[in-house]
Amino acid sequence: MFFTYLRRELRRRRKAALVVASGLALGIALVIVVNSVSAGMNRAQGRVLESLYGLGTDMTVTKAAAPPEEGATVKRPRFRFDAKGGDDDARQSQDIVMVQGFETLAASTVARVAGQDGVADAVGGLNVRVMKVDGQFKPGEFKQEPGEVKRGGPAAGEVRGGGADFDVDSYSVYGTDVAHQGLGPLTSSKITSGRTFAAGETSAAVAVVDSAYAKEKKLKVGGTLTVSGSKLTIVGIATADSGDAAADVYLPLARAQTLADAKGKITTVYVKATDSQRIAGVKDTIQKNISGTTVTTSADLAQTVSGSLSTASDLAAGVGKWLSIVVLVAAFLVAGLLTSSAVSRRVREFGTLKALGWKSRRVTGQVAGEALVNGLIGGALGIGIGLAGAWAITAFSPTLTAQLGAGGGGGAGAGGGGRMLVGGPGGPGGPMSDGASRALDIALTAPVSLTTIGLAVALAVAGGLIAGGFGGWRASRLRPADALRRVE
């Protein structure tokens, strides 16, 4: 009887049911789109951070910057060239290999970090900047002016031509622990030609070169790259998964330490936590037990991301969520008011049913059942519209720009697996310490999770129950006499 009556009433009041369901569908669809876009923003930020530190990195710990001493001079690279007598056209070349930020941690920090509670693995790395100056001096020619020259006096004339012509090249180098290549910036790139490092090449004269840098300098697998007089064999070409590579050249850690005159030193320790839920606790533990370091999580670095990605993320997290809440509340109120209004128009019907023996509880249940079905229909429509909207965003893939400022603190990629980074980018010694910002283009996606679908179903049921509550309260107050008074 309940379902027969329910089906008949919904068919008879199709327009009213459609209005209630449409309002709920709009609110639910908006919630799905906003949640999926927010998830896409988080994924995009994760890709940005992974491009710096590799897959799964979540945290950095750098050497704490010491306050500047009064009268202290700023460290700057200095080039010195010797005069080469008798060889006016001799080319001069010099490389300066320096640790980025001029700040390092002892290599023993890796073992100390690995021993902290909640740390599953720890790997050290060294970020280096190479500046190469290559060119030649050309002496000028003295041109004597015509005319009388006084005996014993200087010749009249001037020096013309000559000068110096030097080319300056600067590129980044990352020293990686070849025995533990599962963490670190190299994991954000794929070997597209040649091979990666072998576990035994701890200090070998080999290099893996980023594909963009290799194309610019016309480098190939099997060729050589000279750094500060050391010839390195190129064994592989790596292509970054997204955005720019973390470094132009990758070397075995010991080789990079030798070139940078930083033996036994590192700038970065990449750490994998035993559980992603423990990252905050591990951060506190490292800060407490390892003095002189600064710990930064991926969330801290994400705050340094600007550009359209940051703007869109803020809109999705702020305006989008508040808008979806307002629309949902409005949809629930409209559904409740429309259901209550429909009950007031069915006074004769419910009064007659009560006169025939229907209990108030049965009348209330009938109204609530109709409202719940309207809510479920609205939920189905909302899920369909929301999925279509999320699909459209993913299909057209609007491109957002992430600007990574050099002033950002250390951080890490927001990958899964509960990983963090010790000794990082924006702080001393990190890959962004050279003062240059990086702009990355990221295609936005809008993934819809089962949690989002479950939330939509819960909202549909809640909307139906709220509307049913309004209508049921009105129906429970009706008396059989009301029906008799309306009989003509």
Side-chain angles (χ1 to χ4, degrees):
M1 180 64 180
F2 173 81
F3 293 103
T4 301
Y5 193 81
L6 177 65
R7 184 173 60 253
R8 182 179 64 82
E9 290 301 318
L10 290 176
R11 187 186 303 116
R12 190 159 61 95
R13 295 178 172 82
R14 289 190 299 270
K15 292 183 179 180
L18 183 60
V19 170
V20 173
S22 299
L24 293 174
L26 178 61
I28 292 170
L30 187 58
V31 169
I32 292 176
V33 171
V34 169
N35 275 275
S36 60
V37 169
S38 295
M41 297 296 178
N42 293 333
R43 180 178 294 183
Q45 287 185 337
R47 291 179 61 190
V48 171
L49 303 179
E50 285 173 2
S51 70
L52 292 177
Y53 309 119
L55 301 175
T57 304
D58 291 323
M59 185 181 298
T60 70
V61 179
T62 61
K63 184 176 181 179
E69 298 179 2
E70 186 175 353
T73 58
V74 179
K75 295 180 181 179
R76 292 187 177 92
R78 181 182 296 272
F79 294 89
R80 292 186 176 90
F81 296 101
D82 296 328
K84 298 183 178 180
D87 194 357
D88 295 339
D89 294 331
R91 294 190 66 84
Q92 306 231 24
S93 179
Q94 183 179 0
D95 289 354
I96 290 184
V97 185
M98 53 190 176
V99 175
Q100 289 191 3
F102 300 101
E103 296 286 352
T104 58
L105 297 168
S108 58
T109 307
V110 178
R112 295 180 61 192
V113 171
Q116 302 300 309
D117 183 41
V119 174
D121 194 13
V123 178
L126 182 70
N127 293 285
V128 174
R129 170 67 56 177
V130 178
M131 296 187 68
K132 182 180 182 66
V133 176
D134 181 77
Q136 63 184 19
F137 294 102
K138 290 185 178 180
E141 296 182 0
F142 181 78
K143 298 291 184 181
Q144 183 176 346
E145 295 181 358
E148 184 179 350
V149 180
K150 296 181 179 180
R151 184 183 301 274
E158 61 179 349
V159 178
R160 298 178 181 176
D165 182 16
F166 282 83
D167 178 61
V168 179
D169 183 26
S170 176
Y171 57 94
S172 59
V173 174
Y174 173 71
T176 182
D177 187 343
V178 297
H180 301 85
Q181 299 185 51
L183 292 176
L186 187 54
T187 61
S188 65
S189 299
K190 293 181 180 178
I191 301 297
T192 51
S193 179
R195 62 174 177 84
T196 188
F197 299 111
E201 294 175 329
T202 55
S203 59
V206 293
V208 172
V209 182
D210 175 61
S211 58
Y213 186 74
K215 182 178 180 181
E216 177 186 352
K217 301 299 180 182
K218 298 180 180 179
L219 301 174
K220 297 182 179 180
V221 174
T224 59
L225 175 69
T226 302
V227 179
S228 191
S230 178
K231 288 189 176 182
L232 308 172
T233 302
I234 300 173
V235 297
I237 303 295
T239 302
D241 291 335
S242 63
D244 297 331
D248 297 316
V249 179
Y250 301 90
L251 302 179
L253 178 58
R255 174 64 59 171
Q257 290 171 332
T258 300
L259 292 174
D261 193 21
K263 290 188 176 181
K265 301 293 184 180
I266 56 173
T267 55
T268 309
V269 181
Y270 299 84
V271 181
K272 180 180 179 180
T274 55
D275 188 348
S276 60
Q277 302 300 319
R278 300 187 61 184
I279 289 177
V282 173
K283 171 183 175 179
D284 294 338
T285 300
I286 294 174
Q287 285 180 320
K288 178 181 178 181
N289 297 336
I290 304 178
S291 60
T293 58
T294 299
V295 183
T296 310
T297 65
S298 58
D300 297 326
L301 182 60
Q303 295 177 0
T304 70
V305 177
S306 59
S308 59
L309 174 59
S310 177
T311 302
S313 180
D314 292 340
L315 288 175
V319 178
K321 288 186 177 180
W322 278 111
L323 179 61
S324 63
I325 291 174
V326 170
V327 171
L328 270 177
V329 171
F332 287 174
L333 289 177
V334 169
L337 292 175
L338 288 177
T339 303
S340 179
S341 177
V343 170
S344 66
R345 292 194 300 270
R346 298 166 66 185
V347 171
R348 180 188 302 177
E349 174 186 343
F350 291 136
T352 302
L353 290 175
K354 281 193 171 185
L356 293 176
W358 278 42
K359 301 290 185 182
S360 295
R361 183 173 62 254
R362 186 175 179 184
V363 174
T364 302
Q366 191 70 44
V367 174
E370 295 174 11
L372 182 59
V373 171
N374 287 336
L376 293 176
I377 294 174
L381 290 175
I383 291 174
I385 297 173
L387 290 176
W391 174 85
I393 293 173
T394 303
F396 291 102
S397 297
T399 301
L400 300 176
T401 300
Q403 189 76 26
L404 298 171
R419 297 181 184 175
M420 63 190 69
L421 174 77
V422 179
M432 293 182 62
S433 299
D434 54 356
S437 62
R438 299 175 57 188
L440 303 177
D441 291 331
I442 302 294
L444 177 64
T445 60
V448 181
S449 64
L450 292 177
T451 301
T452 302
I453 298 296
L455 176 62
V457 173
L459 290 174
V461 173
L465 292 178
I466 290 174
F470 272 94
W473 176 76
R474 290 291 304 274
S476 65
R477 295 171 60 87
L478 294 176
R479 294 175 299 173
D482 294 330
L484 299 176
R485 280 198 294 267
R486 300 205 175 198
V487 175
E488 297 180 356

